[in-house]
């Protein structure tokens, strides 16, 4: 779906490592930038989720997605971060596994974090979550990309195919936060999912030396005796010895 705040599509998006991509490391006004890709099977509500997060609205009917990029600012722990959210076309599942286009892979490589969406009314979309998570991590070798798992359409209880426990168990096995949401009925949980993810990325982006440095400066150093102290102790020892000698 085409929306306000639309900047460009995945196809136009600079490949990671290019000069243009490097320019994107800081958002408007030099704010830190968090790049999030929203992925999952077709029809699970990816566009609806992104639109809800950006506008707090649920429109109902969305054009088939071509992979649009949106931006907004969020407050995380007192800091205003620029975040870019990349909506992606639905992943097709084939008998021999995932079928990810190069366009989608480029988007996942570009991202600092990923939201994997499935629908509670579509068991196949849930089954995609594990392999998709593995695929995301494979595209980011040497690091653990923050991922949140979102189970959508929680309002459609009468046609539920995925038990909430299943989603929770899978997410915890993958080491991800999990949210069961109804994009059509509620925006709080949607916001929380994005917020948690931004927080995780923000912590990851902090220079690694900073907290460690602060911690070490808090550890009290063992006191080394100064000369005055040494002299005083020496005198004390000496007079004790003298006292012992005189008492004998
Ligand atoms: N009942 C209900 N319907 C929803 C919810 N979220 C999305 N939908 C509907 O599900 C359909 C698919 O939503 P989209 O947001 O287009 O799904 P998508 O994952 O972006 O689909 P693709 O672009 O094909 O990949 C639309 O008709 C939405 O109105 C929800 O929480 N509850």
């Amino acid at each position: 779906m085409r929306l306000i705040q639309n900047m460009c599509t995945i196809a136009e998006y600079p490949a990671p490592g290019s000069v243009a991509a490097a320019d994107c490391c800081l958002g408007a006004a030099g704010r830190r930038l968090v790049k999030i890709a929203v992925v999952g099977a077709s029809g699970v509500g990816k566009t609806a989720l992104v639109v809800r997060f950006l506008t707090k609205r649920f429109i109902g009917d969305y054009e088939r997605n071509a992979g649009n990029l949106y931006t907004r600012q969020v407050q995380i722990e007192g800091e205003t971060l620029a975040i870019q959210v990349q909506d992606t076309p639905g992943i097709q599942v084939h008998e021999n596994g995932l079928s990810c286009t190069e366009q989608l892979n480029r988007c996942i490589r570009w991202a600092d974090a990923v939201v994997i969406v499935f629908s509670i009314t579509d068991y196949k979309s849930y089954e995609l979550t594990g392999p998709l998570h593995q695929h995301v991590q494979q595209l980011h070798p040497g690091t653990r990309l923050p991922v949140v798992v979102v189970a959508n359409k929680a309002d459609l209880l009468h046609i539920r195919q995925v038990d909430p426990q299943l989603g929770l168990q899978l997410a915890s096995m993958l080491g991800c936060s999990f949210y069961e949401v109804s994009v059509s009925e509620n925006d709080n949980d949607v916001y929380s999912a994005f917020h948690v993810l931004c927080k995780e990325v923000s912590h990851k982006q902090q220079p690694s030396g900073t907290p460690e440095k602060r911690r070490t400066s808090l550890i009290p150093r063992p006191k080394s005796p100064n000369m005055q102290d040494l002299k005083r102790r020496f005198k004390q020892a000496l007079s004790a010895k003298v006292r012992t000698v005189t008492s004998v």
Side-chain angles (χ1 to χ4, degrees), residues 1 40-51 58-66 87-92 117 121 152-156 181-186:
M1 151 160 210
S42 192
V44 294
K46 297 181 297 299
T47 305
L49 181 87
V50 173
V51 172
F58 177 74
I59 300 159
D61 258 340
Y62 304 89
E63 227 177 73
R64 267 205 153 222
N65 181 260
D87 191 5
T88 63
I91 294 167
Q92 307 296 323
V117 189
T121 65
N152 187 30
K153 307 198 185 183
D155 54 297
L156 299 177
V181 307
S182 165
V183 170
S184 68
E185 291 191 342
N186 183 308

Side-chain angles (χ1 to χ4, degrees), residues 1-6 38 45-65 68-72 83 85-88 115 117 152 182-184 186-188 190-191 194:
M1 151 160 210
R2 272 158 232 291
L3 234 206
I4 45 157
Q5 292 166 302
N6 181 7
V38 179
K46 297 181 297 299
T47 305
L49 181 87
V50 173
V51 172
R52 186 58 126 165
F53 173 58
L54 294 166
T55 68
K56 295 197 169 190
R57 287 166 61 211
F58 177 74
I59 300 159
D61 258 340
Y62 304 89
E63 227 177 73
R64 267 205 153 222
N65 181 260
N68 295 334
L69 179 77
Y70 308 100
T71 189
R72 69 167 280 182
I83 72 164
V85 184
Q86 176 76 67
D87 191 5
T88 63
V115 179
V117 189
N152 187 30
S182 165
V183 170
S184 68
N186 183 308
D187 66 302
N188 285 340
V190 172
Y191 186 78
F194 278 94

Side-chain angles (χ1 to χ4, degrees), residues 39-42 44 90-94 97-99 116-118 122-134 170:
V39 300
S42 192
V44 294
I91 294 167
Q92 307 296 323
V93 196
H94 293 299
L98 287 184
S99 162
I116 299 180
V117 189
F118 71 84
D122 176 1
Y123 194 80
K124 281 211 161 83
S125 71
Y126 159 77
E127 284 184 317
L128 203 66
T129 306
L132 194 46
H133 181 270
Q134 194 183 4
L170 178 64

